[in-house]
Amino acid sequence: MHEQTLLEQAQALQDGEVSSVELTQFYLNRIQAHDESLNSFVTVTGAQALAQAEAADRARSASEAGPLTGVPLAHKDIFCTRGVRTTCGSRMLDNFVSPYDATVVERLQAAGMVMLGKTNMDEFAMGSSNENSYYGPVHNPWDSERVPGGSSGGSAAAVAARLAPAATATDTGGSIRQPATFCGVTGLKPTYGRVSRFGMVAYASSLDQGGMLGVSAEDCAALLGTMAGFDSRDSTSVDHPVPDYQKELKQPVDGLSLGLPKEFFDDRLDARIRASVEEAVAAWEGQGAQLVEISLPNLPLATPAYYVIASAECSSNLARYDGVRYGHRCADPEDLEDLFCRSREEGFGAEVRRRIMIGTYALSAGYREAYYDQARRVRQLIRRDFQQAFEKVDAIAAPVSPVLPFRLGEKTQDPVAMYLIDCYTIPVNLAGLPGLSLPARPVDGLPTGVQLIGNYFDEARLLGLGAAWQRETDWHRQVPPGFA
Amino acid sequence: MSEWETVIGLEIHTQLSTRSKLFSAASTQYGAEPNRQACGIDLALPGVLPVVNREAIRMAVMFGLAVGAKVRTPCVFARKNYFYPDLPRGYQISQYELPIVEGGEVEIELQDGSHRRIELTRAHLEEDAGKLLHEGYAGESAVDLNRAGVPLMEIVSEPQMRSPEEASAYMRTLHGIVTFLGICDGNMEQGSFRCDANISMRQKGEKELGVKVELKNINSFRFVERALRYEQQRQIDALESGKPIIQETRQYDPGTDRTRPMRVKEYADDYRYFPDPDLLPVVVDESIQVELAKSLPELPQARKTRLIKQYALSADLAAVLVQSRQWADYFEATVEAGAGASTTARWITGEVFARMHKDSTELAEPPVSANSLAQLLKCIDSSVVSNSAAKEVLAAMWKGEGEAEEIIEARGLRQVGAGADLDQWIDQVIEAHPDEVEQYRGGKDRLLGFFVGQVMKASGGKADPKQVSEQLRIKLQSG
């Protein structure tokens, strides 16, 4: 059953081959059996999941079921879930039980989907390896010595190991696409403003975007149709029509032009990954796409600009965790300053503290102009580079990560090396564009991936190209050996 | 002795009268139980986002239009970052580089009737913080977030005022503008309208500004004048004895009528302002500006001019009436209901005001409607009741005893004109005061007032003083 895609399971539910309770119990059993070694879940909501599944089965027998009713999924622990602990991978929120649901959670629940639990992640979504979680690292299901990527490492590992048919995730600098690649699953970061950020714990507000990890591009399309849309509670969400993504998947590849930016195929890229990406590109060419070499000249500036902007925003976004109203509070504070300082020092991990420091510095009087303002100008240049590219091409193909999944602990001593891993995903967040990560030919038994970048609100085209590739290949259907 | 010039600039904080907060749907009602009006957004829960209140934007635009300022579109909300327990997000959402209102000016009127124009630098929107409670928590402090997120508009003037009197006149003028616009309730006791005053001294003719001192949180017209007067003298004394002025924040204590320094900061504040990425730049459509410009109410200055012209009021009476829109409206409604303008103006600024101030309970509006008041005032103008009886009638109306006519009848206060009763009262009085009658007849004319008073007393206030006076004169002479 776990080898099926989410849509196949939805079909099985519809055909009465399985009940939601059976399906949910099946996944809860898998989590029970496998997650001790993976550590992909922070919280498993078994009883609540079975209750939701029962409700879904009742809805189905009353003919009130929608297409996704009764299908289980997991939520990244960054989405607020009413009555359920929402930790964001941090000791700071270890005791935080949200009194409300995020819009994403609310919409998926309204569609009848069943929440299995909350997945592990880098603390406050800051990290590329899932080693920055207060709840310990997540292991890559393909090789338990290796990282699953981050920050949505728990969601990616859970989907790869088929402990959930799909999972929500968020992407600020690559946090959906990079773990998708490292774990061999499909991940979509939608256009900034496509999916509401309300109830999604903020890391860097102008870059954060909710999305999902699934087995196939079609699964992602089905979930996006439910998650996307304007939300009056999020001023940055965009009132743009939500197409029927699943229908749009059938658009032909023939006649599309696919841009290959030379800055993405530079010497940082592992040659073996390059070969896998080129194989995917060749497949699209074979289906009638026209390949165009393009240039995004300001791309090399993206990573430094990102770490200034993201850190600046996070230094302010995380100021609310002060030990006063909720979250971690230090014992016996001497005075106000001690309460603030010690609660934050104890509540936040090293990487979060590092970024708060960087961001505070970048916004300080006398430095703001040189760092934050300059980074915003760079961001405009990158946005313009992409806009010019999309005058020539329909989509852009690129690698996701320059490196293969690395070993746990391998890069923890070198933060800059860790930051540079995101060099192919970060520019997409700076420009606010949609990006899709698709499994490609593995290298030495380790997953790789190819990235498709689209114009604003062009998720359907990316998903269509992804589905076309996945009709010809089965990389996305492969289950890691220990989890068959 | 050198000649000093005083330089004053004011930052006025007005609380906008929106029903909900600047970035959340929580109520702004004053006086609720602590934290009853703080929702998840005001508490800054993880994941919540602010959404700007369009009504607050409209109010700021109205103000901008009213003072002839430029309404900036788009304007930008920025974060002002600092840690304090009453600031749940760890930053205040305010406006910094691109405020909604830029420039503009107001005309102030001074005691001697002269006018001056004071230019505004800007007006911007920001949210209020919560309140710390230190009493009653066993040595600990508590936080009340009911105020957190309440919309404020901060109006910043150019440093163009040259005396404490001008500062107070400016504050009154702005109070009139925002209350007439209906964008602020103007309640100074509750802090809806308060100011910070910056004052520095320089030698006359000097271009450079002197070192300024900021006086924080003044919530009365009288106090701003007194605080600045004290500070002005303190600075002159210091400068003349060769002591430098320290740039600092001081607080005015009305009890001692002095200012004293507030906590001295050891390092300069760095608020790390940056545009709030949760809020897009706010665009104010041209059409909204046009629509608001059309619906702007008459402002105090214009209304005063019109009241003088339309109702032949004295400048003084008109000035008193336009101190608040409520009274100007009450006046016009009373006249509209048939009362004479001059009687109405005198009664509102006299008897009605006195009653409003006398009542220990805080009254938002007089308990006697404009229509009811007009019925009473008509009775005065048509001599149905005497002035003094009318005061008694108003007192009864104030207590809710009924309409003027009913009370006049019930209490038998209808004024008695010429007739048997009046003759009888006059005769009694003349008989009872033979000495005074002698003196009057001997040429002491001003005793007439005494006789009128006695007759009025004898009549229990019912006699018409005019009639009494006429009849007395005839009877006293004829005797």
Side-chain angles (χ1 to χ4, degrees), chain B residues 340-352:
Chain B
S342 146
T343 310
T344 305
R346 271 187 295 107
W347 270 72
I348 290 177
T349 57
E351 202 61 20
V352 173

Side-chain angles (χ1 to χ4, degrees), chain B residues 161-224:
Chain B
M161 284 153 270
R162 294 289 171 263
S163 69
E165 190 206 343
E166 285 185 11
S168 160
Y170 168 82
M171 197 172 169
R172 278 177 210 274
T173 304
L174 276 184
H175 186 268
I177 292 172
V178 297
T179 52
F180 271 60
L181 288 172
I183 62 176
C184 173
D185 67 15
N187 190 320
M188 297 173 81
E189 275 107 57
Q190 291 174 8
S192 297
F193 189 91
R194 55 189 197 259
C195 88
D196 299 339
N198 288 300
I199 174 169
S200 63
M201 306 300 301
R202 67 179 169 195
Q203 305 257 323
K204 258 227 157 90
E206 175 69 57
K207 288 266 178 291
E208 294 286 302
L209 290 170
V211 176
K212 72 173 179 185
V213 162
E214 184 178 22
L215 304 177
K216 275 272 186 212
N217 239 338
I218 307 175
N219 67 346
S220 118
F221 303 129
R222 212 152 44 90
F223 291 167
V224 81

Side-chain angles (χ1 to χ4, degrees), chain A residues 305 308-309 361-363 366-376:
Chain A
V308 169
I309 292 171
Y361 181 82
L363 287 175
Y367 298 97
R368 194 189 119 164
E369 165 65 22
Y371 292 99
Y372 179 73
D373 292 346
Q374 181 73 353
R376 290 184 81 199

Side-chain angles (χ1 to χ4, degrees), chain A residues 182-202:
Chain A
F182 275 21
C183 291
V185 298
T186 305
L188 175 72
K189 176 208 108 67
T191 307
Y192 183 80
R194 176 77 292 185
V195 170
S196 169
R197 291 189 298 116
F198 186 77
M200 202 175 98
V201 180

Side-chain angles (χ1 to χ4, degrees), chain A residues 80 96 99-100 197-200 205 232-236 316-317 319-321 325-326 336 340 344 360 363-365 368 372 376, chain B residues 43-52 79 81 83-85 88-91 97 143 145 270 272-275 277-280:
Chain A
C80 284
F96 178 68
Y100 76 103
R197 291 189 298 116
F198 186 77
M200 202 175 98
S205 311
S232 61
R233 293 172 295 186
D234 173 4
S235 310
T236 62
S316 174
N317 281 337
R320 67 188 56 194
Y321 308 110
R325 298 167 312 286
Y326 53 79
L336 195 55
F340 287 156
R344 290 168 65 76
T360 303
L363 287 175
S364 298
R368 194 189 119 164
Y372 179 73
R376 290 184 81 199
Chain B
L43 260 61
L45 291 180
V48 296
L49 295 169
V51 175
V52 72
R79 295 183 181 180
N81 295 282
F83 285 97
Y84 207 64
R89 292 186 191 88
Y91 55 84
E97 281 152 340
V143 189
L145 295 175
D270 181 357
R272 290 172 283 124
Y273 281 101
F274 74 107
D278 286 332
L279 294 161
L280 300 174

Side-chain angles (χ1 to χ4, degrees), chain B residues 127-377:
Chain B
E127 55 177 353
D128 207 347
K131 198 168 71 179
L132 291 189
L133 309 168
H134 301 291
E135 308 277 307
Y137 296 93
E140 294 190 282
S141 294
V143 189
D144 175 9
L145 295 175
N146 283 350
R147 282 197 72 81
V150 163
L152 303 177
M153 182 172 63
E154 182 176 327
I155 305 160
V156 183
S157 82
E158 289 290 305
Q160 289 177 347
M161 284 153 270
R162 294 289 171 263
S163 69
E165 190 206 343
E166 285 185 11
S168 160
Y170 168 82
M171 197 172 169
R172 278 177 210 274
T173 304
L174 276 184
H175 186 268
I177 292 172
V178 297
T179 52
F180 271 60
L181 288 172
I183 62 176
C184 173
D185 67 15
N187 190 320
M188 297 173 81
E189 275 107 57
Q190 291 174 8
S192 297
F193 189 91
R194 55 189 197 259
C195 88
D196 299 339
N198 288 300
I199 174 169
S200 63
M201 306 300 301
R202 67 179 169 195
Q203 305 257 323
K204 258 227 157 90
E206 175 69 57
K207 288 266 178 291
E208 294 286 302
L209 290 170
V211 176
K212 72 173 179 185
V213 162
E214 184 178 22
L215 304 177
K216 275 272 186 212
N217 239 338
I218 307 175
N219 67 346
S220 118
F221 303 129
R222 212 152 44 90
F223 291 167
V224 81
E225 197 167 333
R226 282 165 54 177
L228 285 168
R229 189 149 289 144
Y230 173 85
E231 188 57 26
Q232 184 182 38
Q233 197 54 51
R234 189 189 70 85
Q235 290 189 17
I236 290 173
D237 290 349
L239 290 165
E240 292 194 337
S241 59
K243 289 190 218 127
I245 303 296
I246 305 159
Q247 178 161 353
E248 62 183 352
T249 301
R250 297 175 72 92
Q251 190 158 33
Y252 174 69
D253 177 0
T256 59
D257 192 26
R258 285 160 168 270
T259 67
R260 56 183 157 74
M262 291 172 76
R263 74 190 160 91
V264 181
K265 287 170 189 163
E266 286 161 34
Y267 46 89
D269 282 316
D270 181 357
Y271 293 119
R272 290 172 283 124
Y273 281 101
F274 74 107
D276 191 332
D278 286 332
L279 294 161
L280 300 174
V282 177
V283 175
V284 182
D285 288 338
E286 184 68 35
S287 63
I288 294 175
Q289 290 194 49
V290 171
E291 175 210 318
L292 288 174
K294 270 190 220 149
S295 62
L296 276 190
E298 196 178 23
L299 294 174
Q301 204 86 345
R303 193 152 186 186
K304 181 180 156 191
T305 310
R306 182 171 64 77
L307 291 186
I308 292 171
K309 221 173 119 187
Q310 187 175 337
Y311 301 103
L313 296 184
S314 71
D316 283 349
L317 273 181
V320 175
L321 285 173
V322 299
Q323 269 174 15
S324 99
R325 181 173 168 178
Q326 179 193 3
W327 293 116
D329 287 349
Y330 190 63
F331 164 76
E332 292 207 88
T334 306
V335 175
E336 181 73 16
S342 146
T343 310
T344 305
R346 271 187 295 107
W347 270 72
I348 290 177
T349 57
E351 202 61 20
V352 173
F353 274 17
R355 290 204 163 274
M356 290 297 288
H357 293 302
K358 196 162 67 189
D359 282 345
S360 52
T361 46
E362 201 53 45
L363 284 178
E365 52 184 73
V368 175
S369 72
N371 213 21
S372 298
L373 180 67
Q375 302 317 310
L376 173 63
L377 299 187

